[in-house]
Amino acid sequence: MAYLCNLGNGQQVFIDNQDNQTIVTLTGTQAGQQQQSSSGFSTGKWTALPILYRNAGGFILRVESDRGPHYVQLQGSSLSAIATAPNLESAEVIAMQATETPPRATMEPMKPMEPIKPMEPIKPMKMGDMEMRMNPMEMRMGNMSMSMGESTPSYRQNFCPQCGAPVKENDRFCANCGDRLS
């Protein structure tokens, strides 16, 4: 027969005797995470029901077997055997319930995480008669303006708008009429 006890704070302890081994499993469920640690202790076959105590240092499990008493310290998410009998006079006895269900079946499933929301575009910044936009980069102050990058692509013509003569992409002036190219 196995035993289960709710320790509070989303933690449970599951205790089982399999042949000469006492298996102690701690499970914990908190927002966004589940933890489980399990240890086996060579105790022999149980001769009495296990007893769980709560003291200032955490929880202590007492297992009475054909080899004598054994003690296991449960503190946070760790389990460790205690070599000498602890003083349990002022400790509180915690009730355990008989169960056949291992702790994995009693844990609540984790809630799925929400997807990350995309960032909102940066809004134009305004202060008095000054305005700044990020895409494309534009800044205006009074009747002055500056921009970097273009929101709509511009195409340069391959001929002079004044005389119609062919021009190269890097020409600043028309070689035929001398007109300034934009």
Side-chain angles (χ1 to χ4, degrees), residues 3-16 22-29 34-41 52 58-61 72-80 96 102-104 106-107:
Y3 295 89
L4 181 69
C5 182
N6 187 358
L7 304 177
N9 261 354
Q11 256 190 330
Q12 289 182 327
V13 63
F14 179 78
I15 306 153
D16 193 10
T22 296
I23 309 298
V24 182
T25 304
L26 273 175
T27 61
T29 305
Q34 293 179 347
Q35 293 180 335
Q36 179 171 318
S37 61
S38 187
S39 291
F41 302 94
L52 185 65
F59 295 89
I60 295 176
L61 174 66
V72 178
Q73 175 81 43
L74 314 171
Q75 194 169 19
S77 61
S78 67
L79 305 165
S80 57
M96 292 189 293
R104 283 182 216 134
T106 61
M107 291 179 69

Side-chain angles (χ1 to χ4, degrees), residues 111-125:
K111 295 177 185 172
M113 294 179 68
E114 290 187 27
I116 297 174
K117 295 176 183 164
M119 288 180 52
E120 292 183 24
I122 298 174
K123 296 177 181 169
M125 295 178 269

Side-chain angles (χ1 to χ4, degrees), residues 34-172:
Q34 293 179 347
Q35 293 180 335
Q36 179 171 318
S37 61
S38 187
S39 291
F41 302 94
S42 180
T43 59
K45 294 216 180 264
W46 292 352
T47 57
L49 297 177
I51 302 171
L52 185 65
Y53 297 91
R54 180 186 320 195
N55 64 11
F59 295 89
I60 295 176
L61 174 66
R62 179 187 169 143
V63 175
E64 193 70 41
S65 74
D66 54 4
R67 297 181 191 166
H70 300 273
Y71 298 91
V72 178
Q73 175 81 43
L74 314 171
Q75 194 169 19
S77 61
S78 67
L79 305 165
S80 57
I82 302 173
T84 59
N87 182 358
L88 298 172
E89 289 178 15
S90 61
E92 172 189 2
V93 176
I94 306 296
M96 292 189 293
Q97 60 189 17
T99 185
E100 292 182 21
T101 308
R104 283 182 216 134
T106 61
M107 291 179 69
E108 294 179 25
M110 287 179 53
K111 295 177 185 172
M113 294 179 68
E114 290 187 27
I116 297 174
K117 295 176 183 164
M119 288 180 52
E120 292 183 24
I122 298 174
K123 296 177 181 169
M125 295 178 269
K126 292 184 178 182
M127 186 170 61
D129 66 346
M130 188 169 79
E131 182 178 346
M132 187 170 163
R133 297 174 194 266
M134 297 308 283
N135 194 9
M137 178 74 168
E138 295 178 349
M139 187 171 159
R140 294 192 181 134
M141 191 165 32
N143 61 357
M144 296 183 338
S145 69
M146 178 180 79
S147 67
M148 299 172 78
E150 296 176 349
S151 58
T152 58
S154 64
Y155 300 98
R156 184 155 185 214
Q157 300 169 345
N158 293 331
F159 59 90
C160 175
Q162 184 67 28
C163 70
V167 294
K168 295 178 184 167
E169 188 174 319
N170 295 334
D171 287 349
R172 293 175 50 195

